Amino acid sequence: KAVQDADVALFMIDARAGLTPLDEEIGRWLRSQATPVVLVANKAEGKAGEQGVLEAYALGMGEPFALSAE
């Protein structure tokens, strides 16, 4: 209900962990909704996060925004 009522949804993944099966499941569900989704790859600093950012493209939500709270 919250996603349906929102103007936009933020979907944040952990870039260091890479895509998990749960990320993929949530991604499929979000793509089936009418609400626009912004994909965010957190912990994207350095080489450790780079692969996860690239994997995020597989979710089919366009270019992920790479960021780091560090």
Side-chain angles (χ1 to χ4, degrees):
K1 178 85 173 119
V3 171
Q4 292 170 351
D5 291 345
D7 293 326
V8 66
L10 295 176
F11 180 30
M12 184 177 290
I13 64 159
D14 183 335
R16 286 189 184 173
L19 285 184
T20 66
L22 183 57
D23 292 335
E24 293 171 349
E25 183 178 335
I26 293 169
R28 279 191 298 275
W29 181 80
L30 285 170
R31 282 194 314 272
S32 73
Q33 303 301 302
T35 304
V37 178
V38 175
L39 179 59
V40 179
N42 191 29
K43 299 182 185 176
E45 72 279 349
K47 295 266 186 205
E50 185 176 323
Q51 183 63 34
V53 172
L54 294 175
E55 286 180 16
Y57 282 96
L59 292 171
M61 297 180 174
E63 184 173 355
F65 287 91
L67 62 88
S68 173
E70 188 177 278

